[in-house]
Amino acid sequence: MSLSPKRFGFACASAAGLFYLGCVFLMAFADAENLAFFFNGLFHGLDLRPILVDDISIGVTVTGFVNTAILSWLFGALVAVAYNLSARFGRRRSQ
């Protein structure tokens, strides 16, 4: 079985995009204290209050989403290519 780099890249980009949108909504609707509590728990107690920003423009948000999607697609495509190559070389050795 081989993975399609385009499809696997799209799956990774879609998943990362959904996570990014979830983060955008969290940042938009939660107050600073709840955000700090959430991210401190997520990052093992690391205090992120000094770098939390309240006012991020829509341009920065869209650019971040696009960058996340592109990088995630590239990562997924590379994983699929590496998987396909490793499967091909694994079959040759077992024969």
Side-chain angles (χ1 to χ4, degrees):
M1 180 177 108
S2 67
L3 296 175
S4 166
K6 288 181 184 178
R7 286 179 159 184
F8 197 75
F10 180 75
C12 289
S14 298
L18 285 174
F19 275 108
Y20 189 88
L21 289 177
C23 187
V24 166
F25 285 120
L26 182 67
M27 296 290 288
F29 296 115
D31 65 336
E33 192 60 37
N34 286 332
L35 282 173
F37 178 78
F38 176 76
F39 286 117
N40 285 355
L42 190 62
F43 293 108
H44 307 285
L46 181 66
D47 187 13
L48 298 177
R49 280 177 235 180
I51 62 172
L52 286 177
V53 180
D54 290 336
D55 53 345
I56 295 179
S57 71
I58 190 73
V60 170
T61 303
V62 170
T63 302
F65 177 81
V66 170
N67 290 341
T68 299
I70 290 170
L71 290 174
S72 298
W73 187 92
L74 288 171
F75 178 77
L78 286 173
V79 167
V81 168
Y83 175 85
N84 293 339
L85 287 174
S86 68
R88 185 179 306 153
F89 289 123
R91 273 187 253 135
R92 285 184 188 165
R93 287 187 176 203
S94 64
Q95 291 177 351

